[in-house]
Amino acid sequence: MNGNELLTLAGRLATQEISADEFLQLAAKEVGQPEYATVDLARAQRCGFPEVIFGEGKTAEIISEIAARLLADDQRMLATRIDPEKAALLAAEFPAARYNETSRTLRVDPTSDSRESIGHVAVITAGTSDLPVAEEARETLDWMGVRATMVHDVGVAGPHRLPERLAEFAEADALVVVAGMEGALASVVGGYVSCPVFAVPTSVGYGANLGGLSALLAMLNSCASNVAVVNINAGFKAGYLAGLVATRRSR
Amino acid sequence: MNGNELLTLAGRLATQEISADEFLQLAAKEVGQPEYATVDLARAQRCGFPEVIFGEGKTAEIISEIAARLLADDQRMLATRIDPEKAALLAAEFPAARYNETSRTLRVDPTSDSRESIGHVAVITAGTSDLPVAEEARETLDWMGVRATMVHDVGVAGPHRLPERLAEFAEADALVVVAGMEGALASVVGGYVSCPVFAVPTSVGYGANLGGLSALLAMLNSCASNVAVVNINAGFKAGYLAGLVATRRSR
Amino acid sequence: MNGNELLTLAGRLATQEISADEFLQLAAKEVGQPEYATVDLARAQRCGFPEVIFGEGKTAEIISEIAARLLADDQRMLATRIDPEKAALLAAEFPAARYNETSRTLRVDPTSDSRESIGHVAVITAGTSDLPVAEEARETLDWMGVRATMVHDVGVAGPHRLPERLAEFAEADALVVVAGMEGALASVVGGYVSCPVFAVPTSVGYGANLGGLSALLAMLNSCASNVAVVNINAGFKAGYLAGLVATRRSR
Amino acid sequence: MNGNELLTLAGRLATQEISADEFLQLAAKEVGQPEYATVDLARAQRCGFPEVIFGEGKTAEIISEIAARLLADDQRMLATRIDPEKAALLAAEFPAARYNETSRTLRVDPTSDSRESIGHVAVITAGTSDLPVAEEARETLDWMGVRATMVHDVGVAGPHRLPERLAEFAEADALVVVAGMEGALASVVGGYVSCPVFAVPTSVGYGANLGGLSALLAMLNSCASNVAVVNINAGFKAGYLAGLVATRRSR
Amino acid sequence: MNGNELLTLAGRLATQEISADEFLQLAAKEVGQPEYATVDLARAQRCGFPEVIFGEGKTAEIISEIAARLLADDQRMLATRIDPEKAALLAAEFPAARYNETSRTLRVDPTSDSRESIGHVAVITAGTSDLPVAEEARETLDWMGVRATMVHDVGVAGPHRLPERLAEFAEADALVVVAGMEGALASVVGGYVSCPVFAVPTSVGYGANLGGLSALLAMLNSCASNVAVVNINAGFKAGYLAGLVATRRSR
Amino acid sequence: MNGNELLTLAGRLATQEISADEFLQLAAKEVGQPEYATVDLARAQRCGFPEVIFGEGKTAEIISEIAARLLADDQRMLATRIDPEKAALLAAEFPAARYNETSRTLRVDPTSDSRESIGHVAVITAGTSDLPVAEEARETLDWMGVRATMVHDVGVAGPHRLPERLAEFAEADALVVVAGMEGALASVVGGYVSCPVFAVPTSVGYGANLGGLSALLAMLNSCASNVAVVNINAGFKAGYLAGLVATRRSR
Amino acid sequence: MNGNELLTLAGRLATQEISADEFLQLAAKEVGQPEYATVDLARAQRCGFPEVIFGEGKTAEIISEIAARLLADDQRMLATRIDPEKAALLAAEFPAARYNETSRTLRVDPTSDSRESIGHVAVITAGTSDLPVAEEARETLDWMGVRATMVHDVGVAGPHRLPERLAEFAEADALVVVAGMEGALASVVGGYVSCPVFAVPTSVGYGANLGGLSALLAMLNSCASNVAVVNINAGFKAGYLAGLVATRRSR
Amino acid sequence: MNGNELLTLAGRLATQEISADEFLQLAAKEVGQPEYATVDLARAQRCGFPEVIFGEGKTAEIISEIAARLLADDQRMLATRIDPEKAALLAAEFPAARYNETSRTLRVDPTSDSRESIGHVAVITAGTSDLPVAEEARETLDWMGVRATMVHDVGVAGPHRLPERLAEFAEADALVVVAGMEGALASVVGGYVSCPVFAVPTSVGYGANLGGLSALLAMLNSCASNVAVVNINAGFKAGYLAGLVATRRSR
């Protein structure tokens, strides 16, 4: 690409005629840049579930291409961290796509309605701001075919709230606990149950919450023996791990 | 929600016809998403004061709903971290609401003018930039019915300023000290008085202030025995704690 | 001091005939080093309670000297962070001294038995390893003349333990909560009561507990509004603050 | 306790006639200090397995007392972080105790030989220095009645070693991966299997390993979806979580 | 410059008629501010390759001036961290310039097509998001005259991908490994080869990736002996170091 | 202020008719909020130089008010961290004001041209991006009446550059060294001279520069005995300290 | 192992008749614990040099076993981090072993005297305390058959020292720079040469050196393009990398 | 050195017949290890004062050798961080040596009594535990020939103490402020004076003092313009910098 072509494209970028993403893709095409992403179609076989698309940092075009290959291979598709703009573009291409605005996940999952659900996982949140992360876990469980129950807004500042709802998760195969701030809910929940608890620290809070590191550290130091931890805001990972436990029983 | 509906909403978001918050709420309604927030009406009984609404990360609609329930139960309402836009929306719904632009707090507190104040707390700041956090503490104290005195801009770089104003807080039941940068004011104040001091580190400063962590650490290491610490910028918490001490005496 | 004298002393140090502390004091005396510590006798007047001796890094001799001056002025003496060796030395000089081996505090407090206790503070621990820090708080409260109740080993991993004992601290003027690991107990306790909670993170735990920093951060981010925090293992400070609240009512 | 008694005990401590632990216990007895530890006998019912004793910071005497109560209730006993000296003392009291020198765990587990094992967990280590942590996990699994396979010294620096041993853990219900330094083994193992992986960072390494924090961070950021993390050196916790997954299937 | 002139310029800045950069340059010219940058023309002699322009924080005008001096001295020019807008401005001045949109590098390198390439370096990425950093390394190698091979998207979550492509870098003189998240790829690659590996941590990831610090720490703790590390996202530096190794053989 | 008034103002803010600053000030006036800033006119007497205005976080209106009081008292005015927009507003009020666009400082200093300069300080930078911080130091020195020499772009990557310019600062009373990235320049300069060196770390760099913390730590660990350190980007402080040393000689 | 046996062994440990290492090994043997370490004999083929034994955390017995296998396969042996006690034990078994007390390395390297050296690497230290780390690098180079030159004590506080010795490393194939405190030497050396520089931060220093982290961060942010970094005190790794570059030329 | 010799030496080390230092030196001599330390005799000329010996990590033998060379060149000798054992050894060789047990400094300074002192520096401490660091500063000033005043134990917890002693340092050329815990004293002192303040954070404190980092951060963020900072516990550096300012006036 010579300087003149660049000037034209950069001009369109400067006038906001095209977005930075579009700029990058147009420029990439023109110089014949080869494709970079590869799809791991064998993962469903090797790991039990198809590859999941992490949408952050990928253009709608790339996501669309990966999705197309998964669907062509009859695999169900789940994409996480999809913002509404990308979702709109993808929905235009995949009319069967369902987008969850809260969790920012997009699924094309033709057989989901006819599948019978396996096992049971409860997703528990400390406060309303933890909802997007919890929804990402719930969507993941749904995509895996696991029955998911939501228990919301039972943080420890109102200590009567959690015991009232014990019955909803006493028989679950695994729990996902989503909490920011001091992350104490994971330990409290862990003390009530006999199944594994996958704790997700969130970046909810301010000041010394250090973007979620404080909750993360608290959860790692939980005095409850059955609490394992995943990355900050990693709703998908916690849902996936809980789903693996829940589906394992049926094997 | 199918792809077409999403496209329409996302388009309105893209053209900034609706905000991200509105987008989320409209989408949530359409899919019949149940409400998530619960109001802890028993807190006034259990903890002495009604639940306070932490406004960050909540939409005006959710805040409005919680406020309505509190008021319906004849409880006084305090909401913190309310930006001017949300305040305007809420003021339209609650004509009796009073918004403090500096502290970004909103109150609907019908009996505040007729209440007699209890106890005395002084709120002391190091510099003018610490004002918003100090005002959040002051509003909280006012809402609790505690007399609050403000002593501003008495940071240690001008060492004569604090002693001149000792008389204003010598008889207080508790103090709130708000300071950023090196946070030295908390220790200095602590040395002069016999009551508890609740220190609030602020994110005021630059470079190695680490967003307020440096002041926080300094306050935790205070050589004064009567200094307790709350989170960075947590004006509400410090005001609330000081208010608990001040109102305790009248029980 | 010339080289020869040094040789003799260093030789005695090398053969462990004298300790490092003794070495330092002998050497200091010989060169006529003036005394450094000053006693703030006016503190009892200014701050309500006498100066407390922080024993770490001070020799038994210096502690003894400060203690003597306080007692000569008819003030009650409390020294913290006193190891058993120093305690034995001090007990020899002050036969009325009482040493608490767990809290490592030493008191000479002639009027303690005849004083009537004022107010009520409960000191609550998560686990048995938190005991030394809790005892430091309790001793401090006792020295202040405040009635102190101990509620031990009620960490959140056994969630039924705390509610069973609510009655013991429901009417307290202030609480001290001592916890290591994830420090969740402070938030849980805070949700149950209407009085100020002074949370003390301890260094109990391992790995990512970061010597108590994880518990400290969790407590600072507590979702309960009535939780203030002091330094890691700072049992004295928390006890002192709670005692200020409790004694305040009687003024 | 008056000063004279203290002098005697401290003298015995100073001459190393008694240890610091013994000193503390003797002193505590003399002053009639009540017992602090409580045993959560209901945990086996509530959480599926009896309470486990965390030995660090507890004297042999306290451990012995808790153990006695568990055994009297016909529960199997597992104590972790027991150093050889404490183990010798406890072995004298519980002749049926079995001590593992590498993992520093002690068990009194009368029915262990007659129990049939349930499920299968593989414990995988990166290097020989990770062995003590891995053994703690293995002992825990054995105590839970789960069959545990050990796959040692398959760190990524020798990339051919892991694939050669895939067959040994391909069918496991869950994996425990123990690794220090850069902790890469967890991600590599995670990519090969379809079951949950519980990753334990160890403090093995030097310099920028930050006592295990570097491995911990790496594991939390694992690109493999099935990797959950526990605290540094927390072999017990990882073993317990994996054991919960393995025993779940048989319910 | 008096206040009036400032008002005019600031007005143009406020109305976005001119950018902040332009504002600064116009103002600087008016007040006769001397030039600050000096060009190290002797570096090609001293260090083997000409000075490279680090574009971040430099205006297009300054970059243009340095470039002109290098070209006037018959040295090949490489500028890194050039955003599209600056690239467009520079392309207008240097028609022979070639801009790489992905790596954000700009080169004016008249002899590049006629040079014969020396040595061989492979640049290996863990995922598609690591591409921009890898491209910066590849452009640097190309500018140095070294043959560069790209091996993309072979992260450890798909463990079969790397071995399949070993042949492409088995004979390389040095490797550049670009990876974010847990950065495990550097260790795995290091175990397969006998040449130096220059590892570049990237800021790809979220939460506890700490902006790339987690990958950086992992790479520094690599158990492979042949892994050296450069700064986060420092594609240029890794490419340059690998290029020094590759060109060294031909001396 | 009632809800209606708020609505109007918030509406003007929403439509960007007024800025957030203006909003705050208008609202503050309406509710009769008292002024908060106080001017320390006695500082010139006590500390040798008048109070300097730290402009960050202060509105133009507040800065203007402080400036007016200083000038009314015949003191020279220096304001730092003034962005161009505020500068334009202030220039309109103080026609004698001189604004430095690079250092973002504003001065009203009537006697500066007629003052004779005292002492000599050299300000040395590692690279062109360190210029704004260096200029802040230079403006401060000029305001103090100290002769300031600039030595630019002599970072250690070009090791011949510094020795060539030694003569320019060999006789200085004090030095200010401004450097980002690894901050090595401070140590190298310190080794050449016999006067105090005030080192200013800057946030110049990327990745593991941690926003200037890496340079700060390096400077604190300098092996040169004559290097003292100030906060990140604190050009004013370094200039002020160097100026105190330089003006001291003339007393 | 039953309790009685444990008592005996623990008794011998308690009386210091046997060391902790010996205790562990005796206990391990008795219970028939299988061997854990495996030797990667194929590494010499795959990676160019035999496996190197990292001695820290390994008993003399294990090291001896690995060494024996390497020597039986006619491979030269290098062990790092060997303390004098272990060295004495190993020297008794391998009479041909040569121990370097400063670097704490042990070699059995029969052909080292008859080998012709290949290439040239200079190892440069900032101060005398960096010597042990530098010697580890030198021993590694010697074991690889590379000529190694030492340039000691040329830290930047004495800026004339380095230029005087440039001739000694101007023609080297690669450099190893070993420095603690602010680590500035790596950048300064990097600016003088055209070959790769492998920088080793050391833990030399105090206070804010953070155990070597400050030097590590400085080196990662080096403004010199040819500086790569290894872990703190990782003399072996830097020597090995430099040796790979030096031996590469002769292939 | 062959294995047998090593065995003998290691045996003596094991039986504690010789120390680790002696072991190292004996071993080093035997293998003919060349000397490493060089003395920078030109520093007195270049930097105004002779080189100072940093004793930590150096054997008494090496210190002795450097000292001998300085004295042979008629330069006054100062060595810091000398523990009593080394001091005894050195005192035997240099009968004129004076050792300060508190500051752990050793001087051989023949002309110190006959020199007239120049300038005036006050060294101010917050508490008695800060004394060793303050004494290091005072010894350094004395060695430089500067009059040093000590103002002890004036920490901010007793706010009346500092103002009472202002007269003692109001006219000083520079101040050294030594403080641990929250380090607030530096800012308070800075507000009272017009000269430069060199602040030394100390590691005095516990818990969240982070070994002195909290005080260091507080001092770097000081709101007083005249506060510069040195490394934790760096009494020498602060004394040296203050001495440079004080001696400068007399030039």
Side-chain angles (χ1 to χ4, degrees), chain F residues 157 181-182 187 191 208-209 218 221 223, chain G residues 157 182 187 191 208-209 218 221-223:
Chain F
M181 304 178 87
E182 85 276 62
S187 293
N209 79 328
N221 286 290
C223 55
Chain G
E182 85 277 59
S187 293
N209 80 328
N221 287 288
S222 175
C223 55

Side-chain angles (χ1 to χ4, degrees), chain D residues 136-157:
Chain D
E136 194 182 83
R138 197 192 55 67
E139 279 281 337
T140 302
L141 287 159
D142 200 44
W143 170 82
M144 296 174 89
V146 175
R147 180 162 68 89
T149 311
M150 304 297 272
V151 181
H152 283 304
D153 206 16
V154 293
V156 298

Side-chain angles (χ1 to χ4, degrees), chain C residues 19-106:
Chain C
S19 72
D21 258 7
E22 290 168 328
F23 172 86
L24 219 61
Q25 286 166 30
L26 289 170
K29 267 188 185 158
E30 200 156 340
V31 297
Q33 201 177 54
E35 61 166 310
Y36 294 107
T38 60
V39 186
D40 187 356
L41 293 174
R43 180 181 292 262
Q45 178 75 34
R46 198 175 71 245
C47 298
F49 291 92
E51 184 174 341
V52 171
I53 304 168
F54 182 72
E56 205 160 286
K58 294 203 181 68
T59 64
E61 200 167 68
I62 285 183
I63 296 166
S64 168
E65 192 180 313
I66 303 177
R69 290 203 220 159
L70 284 167
L71 295 169
D73 198 58
D74 275 335
Q75 302 198 12
R76 42 186 144 156
M77 188 277 273
L78 168 65
T80 63
R81 313 241 165 172
I82 305 292
D83 58 46
E85 287 77 8
K86 282 186 200 166
L89 292 170
L90 289 163
E93 288 199 44
F94 303 96
R98 287 203 295 207
Y99 182 60
N100 179 324
E101 293 79 9
T102 304
S103 63
R104 300 193 306 148
T105 51
L106 185 86

Side-chain angles (χ1 to χ4, degrees), chain E residues 40-51 70 73-76 240 251, chain G residues 194:
Chain E
D40 187 355
L41 294 174
R43 179 181 291 262
Q45 179 74 33
R46 199 175 70 245
C47 298
F49 291 92
E51 186 174 340
L70 284 168
D73 198 58
D74 276 336
Q75 303 197 14
R76 41 187 147 158
Y240 189 77
R251 291 205 169 182
Chain G
S194 64

Side-chain angles (χ1 to χ4, degrees), chain A residues 59-183:
Chain A
T59 63
E61 200 168 66
I62 285 182
I63 295 167
S64 168
E65 191 181 312
I66 303 178
R69 289 203 221 159
L70 284 167
L71 295 170
D73 198 59
D74 275 334
Q75 304 198 12
R76 39 185 147 158
M77 189 275 273
L78 169 64
T80 64
R81 314 244 164 169
I82 304 293
D83 59 45
E85 286 77 9
K86 280 187 202 163
L89 291 171
L90 289 163
E93 289 199 40
F94 302 97
R98 287 203 295 205
Y99 181 60
N100 180 325
E101 292 79 12
T102 304
S103 62
R104 299 194 307 147
T105 51
L106 185 87
R107 290 166 56 190
V108 186
D109 193 359
T111 64
S112 73
D113 294 336
S114 54
R115 277 201 304 267
E116 212 172 316
S117 76
I118 316 168
H120 176 210
V121 168
V123 180
I124 305 173
T125 64
T128 54
S129 309
D130 301 316
L131 196 58
V133 175
E135 276 290 294
E136 193 183 84
R138 197 191 55 67
E139 280 280 338
T140 301
L141 287 159
D142 200 45
W143 171 81
M144 293 175 89
V146 175
R147 179 162 71 89
T149 312
M150 303 299 271
V151 180
H152 283 304
D153 207 13
V154 293
V156 297
H160 57 292
R161 294 184 292 190
L162 186 68
E164 283 168 1
R165 305 192 62 179
L166 274 178
E168 297 177 41
F169 55 85
E171 296 304 314
D173 293 305
L175 300 181
V176 172
V177 175
V178 184
M181 303 180 88
E182 84 278 60

Side-chain angles (χ1 to χ4, degrees), chain F residues 134-149:
Chain F
E135 277 289 293
E136 193 183 85
R138 196 191 56 68
E139 280 281 338
T140 302
L141 288 159
D142 200 45
W143 171 80
M144 295 174 89
V146 175
R147 179 163 69 89
T149 312

Side-chain angles (χ1 to χ4, degrees), chain A residues 155-160 163 180-185 187-188 190-192 205-210 213-215 217-224, chain C residues 155-160 163 180-185 187-188 190-192 205-210 213-215 217-224:
Chain A
V156 297
H160 57 292
M181 303 180 88
E182 84 278 60
L185 188 60
S187 293
V188 176
Y192 278 116
Y206 61 95
N209 79 328
L210 305 180
L213 272 181
S214 293
L217 287 167
M219 287 167 169
L220 284 165
N221 286 290
S222 175
C223 54
Chain C
V156 298
H160 58 291
M181 303 180 89
E182 85 277 60
L185 188 62
S187 293
V188 175
Y192 277 115
Y206 61 93
N209 80 327
L210 305 179
L213 272 182
S214 293
L217 288 167
M219 287 166 169
L220 284 165
N221 285 291
S222 175
C223 54

